[in-house]
Amino acid sequence: MRRGNPEAILPSHLRERISKAEHPRELVVDVMLALQEHFGYLSDEALEQTASVLGMSVLEVEELATFYDFLYRRPVGRFVIRVCDSVVCWLEGGERLISQLQEMLGIRMGETTPDGLFTLLPVCCIGYCDMAPAMLVNKKVYGNLTPERIQRILQELRNGGEPKGEPAA
């Protein structure tokens, strides 16, 4: 992790919010997300920096960091694929989707590809039940997934594309 003044790493609008906040610790998730954006994940050092900026203990920050699904305590791939494993997605082929993704990427759920490009994680429900089975790629949603569609999405990402997702239904 690159060392540096944690306050200098934070976006100016967030630094301003912290300076004006009656209770700066209320911005802990915002600070963790900003440091994660900068470093790629929340290392122990990033947790220490968060605690320092907000006047909290590292334990308090750690408790929150391990609670929220979109905060990563270990390195993740450039593209984090979160596969919906809700009942509806399972009924619409979600189990098959997970197997196909694991085969296409050569990893199991919870792992990252050796090239650091993809991480595959489960997510409880993404609220896209009418388009099941569905997945998120870096918080962009994709539904009505088929093996062919998944292959196209992965190929586009491998070729340097960014997740586009779909318009909200």
Side-chain angles (χ1 to χ4, degrees), residues 146-164:
T146 63
E148 297 78 21
R149 184 141 191 260
I150 294 168
Q151 191 64 43
R152 281 193 309 270
I153 293 166
L154 294 178
Q155 193 57 50
E156 184 176 313
L157 297 173
R158 282 186 178 111
N159 290 338
E162 288 297 318
K164 293 180 180 79

Side-chain angles (χ1 to χ4, degrees), residues 10-21:
L10 299 177
S12 59
H13 72 277
L14 185 53
R15 289 194 310 267
E16 183 177 339
R17 286 179 57 206
I18 292 168
S19 70
K20 292 180 178 180

Side-chain angles (χ1 to χ4, degrees), residues 15-57:
R15 289 194 310 267
E16 183 177 339
R17 286 179 57 206
I18 292 168
S19 70
K20 292 180 178 180
E22 184 176 346
H23 304 286
R25 64 187 326 143
E26 292 174 350
L27 298 167
V28 64
V29 173
D30 296 313
V31 170
M32 287 189 290
L33 286 170
L35 290 175
Q36 177 173 278
E37 177 73 23
H38 182 78
F39 295 120
Y41 73 106
L42 287 172
S43 68
D44 291 343
E45 182 182 344
L47 291 186
E48 291 169 10
Q49 290 177 343
T50 301
S52 170
V53 167
L54 299 175
M56 298 174 69
S57 73

Side-chain angles (χ1 to χ4, degrees), residues 16 34 48 63 74 104 109 129 138 166:
E16 183 177 339
E48 291 169 10
E63 288 172 341
R74 61 183 183 183
M104 289 175 188
M109 194 64 73
C129 297
N138 292 4
E166 300 167 340

Side-chain angles (χ1 to χ4, degrees), residues 33 44 46 54 65 70 85 94-95 102 108 110-112 125 130-131 134 139 141 147 158 165 168-169:
L33 286 170
D44 291 343
L54 299 175
F70 286 89
D85 65 1
E95 185 174 19
Q102 290 179 133
R108 294 180 21 205
E111 295 179 343
T112 299
C125 180
D130 60 327
M131 304 294 262
K139 301 181 189 173
V141 67
R158 282 186 178 111

